[in-house]
Amino acid sequence: MQVLDDLWIRIAVWFRGLLESFLPPWAVQLTMDVLGILLLIVLGIVVVLAFTYMERKVIARVGDRIGPNRAGPFGIFQAIADAIKMLTKEDVTPTNADRWLFLAAPIVVIIPAVLLYAVLPFGRGMVGVDLNIAVVFVVAMGGIPILTMLMAGWASNNKYALLGAFRTVAQLISYEVPMVVALLTVVLLAGTMSTVGIVEAQASFPFALVTPVAFVVYMLAGLAELNRTPFDLLEADSEIVAGYFIEYSGMKFAMFFLAEYINLFMVAGMITTLFLAGWQWPILPSWLWFLIKVVVVIFLMMWIRATFPRFRIDQMLGFAWKALVPVSLVNLFLVALVAKVLEPGWARTGVLFVSNLALLAGAIAIMAQVARKREERARAAGEAAIKRYYGSEVR
Amino acid sequence: MQDNYGFLGLYLLIAIAFPFVALGVAYLLRPKRPDPVKSSTYECGLETVGETWVQFKAQYYLYALVFVVFDVETVFLYPWAVAYNRLGLFALVEALIFVGILVAGLAYAWRKGALRWM
């Protein structure tokens, strides 16, 4: 098992030794760094191909269909066929568009997405760079795509695209706040912003058990940041066709698509790292544990996509500001208070778990109450309107 | 530490090169047959009416304002969270007051209807 656990690191060490036999030290370091980065980027693309295939299969199965099954056995080459298709498609730039901004948006959107992999710990000792401000780095890089979506929507000079872009900005900045506060809770518990440090802090308890509220909030905000159902109203097909990337085709569209799926993997990876103890847990090699957890989280997201209908924009924004932000702030101080009173251990985890569940139940109860009242009010208003229209002796 | 940022700098350079390489390869492979209808604005087959770049709903702006307040707040809170275990009870009270002021701001915006979609 130990051999399997260290497999990739051993290969890296062996390769380094090979390079050292004929290269000066600085060149060895440079080559290793460049190879590592290229490996991360290639991994990013492979992951995208794998998850587009998985998504199509999962959604198809939920919808009682078969999904891709023509290209290769079980259609596993479908994703590769798609990639080739994207490469050879004509790239149309609308005459009305702002040409340079239109070109810049897909270039800028992919850069932060690719950069994010640098801080994701894939296994024990397998991280691009163990940055001591990794969490802030992730938040910062996650903020750049918002700008590029507005660039794309504005540059397209298309009303659907512009509507989509405005919705994107409103949604993403709204869900950024609860997301960041949920991250803050984890940072507070771990006492570090390094992703490796956070994983190591979860040796005894994964943070999903310590603070379920932060986990749920981060999961929901993550879905919103990814523009996935039920928060996909910025590319709602039935309303605004495709949203901000409606005018994009060929490789430029593929850049947006790639960035979206890289971010999907990244959010699932962050959920794994921050809440599910990352690569820890016994028996299986660390990198395999990481992969299993990420796939489970992504499967959960696909399941949600296949199950829930889309929000309306007022519901979506209201949910962020009136539900998630207060709940995550209350949770932050709840965790801070308990962390001050109790020492780390079973007692603290138990108290936090129970109080978090109570907070979650309370929040859901209040939301249900508000929703019920609103429904009653709407029904009363509707009945009054009918009465006004038909007179009092209706039916 | 220096090494870390050196690595990130190198990563940034390669990340910037990546979309150019991808778009460049596509540029070599793809067909180029523009025609006026194809490159007109895509609005489901209908011709587009009026300007797109007009003044837009101010509602979005209000959300952006509330967001800026909270985003700046979190920048201050991250160092607090990292050092929390080494700080006394004072730090907790201090942060509570700080966030309390911001929550009062949120409550004010809520009362004023800035969070209501119109």
Side-chain angles (χ1 to χ4, degrees), chain A residues 88-91 94-96 114 129 154 157-159 170 173 180 183 247 251 255 314 321-322 336 340, chain B residues 4 11 22 26 30-31 33 38-39 41-43 48-49 52-53 56 60 63 67 74 78 84 87 110 117:
Chain A
T88 53
K89 277 275 178 184
E90 184 175 358
D91 184 6
T95 30
N96 289 334
V114 169
V129 43
W154 184 262
N157 197 356
N158 179 311
K159 292 185 193 68
I173 62 174
V180 165
L183 284 177
E247 292 284 10
M251 206 56 198
M255 288 289 122
D314 59 324
W321 287 109
K322 296 170 186 172
K340 191 99 291 183
Chain B
N4 281 350
Y11 202 139
R30 71 179 189 225
R33 290 186 212 93
K38 196 191 281 174
S39 50
T41 303
Y42 175 73
E43 274 171 20
T48 180
V49 177
T52 306
W53 294 333
F56 216 77
Y60 292 107
Y63 283 99
F67 163 73
T74 48
Y78 269 108
Y84 186 70
L87 299 172
W110 193 336
W117 190 258

Side-chain angles (χ1 to χ4, degrees), chain A residues 120-197:
Chain A
L120 202 59
F122 291 94
R124 189 174 286 113
M126 288 159 59
V127 59
V129 43
D130 181 14
L131 215 57
N132 60 352
I133 52 156
V135 170
V136 172
F137 179 78
V138 169
V139 172
M141 288 298 136
I144 296 175
I146 305 176
L147 185 67
T148 63
M149 285 165 193
L150 191 59
M151 279 162 74
W154 184 262
S156 298
N157 197 356
N158 179 311
K159 292 185 193 68
Y160 292 126
L162 192 65
L163 274 171
F166 275 110
R167 286 184 182 190
T168 312
V169 175
Q171 170 172 328
L172 295 195
I173 62 174
S174 295
Y175 281 88
E176 188 109 354
V177 175
M179 187 177 203
V180 165
V181 177
L183 284 177
L184 205 53
T185 318
V186 171
V187 170
L188 192 147
L189 281 168
T192 172
M193 283 195 271
S194 135
T195 41
V196 176

